[in-house]
Amino acid sequence: MDEKDRDKDKERDGKEPLRVGAAVRKRRRQLQLTLAAVAARSGLSVPFLSQIENERARPSMRSLERVADALETTAVELLEASDGTRTVDLVRAGESSGLAPAGVRPLVHGHHQLHALEFTGEQDAGREYQHRNDELMYVVEGSCQVEAEGRAYRLEAGDSLFLSGGVRHRWRSTGEGTRLLVVAVGDHVDAVTEPPGR
């Protein structure tokens, strides 16, 4: 990554510090990788990766995804692992993490048992998802189309769709005015199907 790219990443910083450095360092050490190895895998420079780990630079979402790929994880998992200290956390309307792509807003900060995202406008990831744990989709405005377990569903405003863990699915919103809320149990959580003690 050259100086120009680093400057662009710094320009995208949000108002609140994003503590992804510790999560990146921890994951790298778990895999017993050097900074040079992660640099080779991600295409980013060793100095820039070092700055990320030491909280002196905050990557763009694109750069964070490259780091996550190099560390055999996802950007979402790194963000979730970045801060586990909050127990009460307010996210104001219009607030953005500074890293999410256009039209995607995290509604929960840090590392918790659930994560929630708000998608606005036309969205189409173009790929299939399969999560370890349960997920709920709720259409606030507009509509979206979901394919799950070989069936197609059209969701309108006020509709919700529950997907249990392991269900393969893909979705896309179908209008500029669409607002979709997705709430899911984190993949790092070992969900149980019945209460303990039974």
Side-chain angles (χ1 to χ4, degrees), residues 16 89-96 105-107 109 118:
E16 293 198 15
D89 194 14
L90 174 65
V91 178
R92 295 284 187 189
E95 181 182 337
S96 171
R105 185 168 72 102
L107 301 179
H109 294 127
E118 179 188 52

Side-chain angles (χ1 to χ4, degrees), residues 98-113:
L99 293 178
V104 181
R105 185 168 72 102
L107 301 179
V108 178
H109 294 127
H111 183 69
H112 301 287
Q113 292 186 359

Side-chain angles (χ1 to χ4, degrees), residues 57-72:
R58 288 177 277 171
S60 66
M61 191 61 182
R62 181 171 55 98
S63 293
L64 186 60
E65 286 170 348
R66 289 165 68 178
V67 171
D69 286 344
L71 296 176
E72 301 170 14

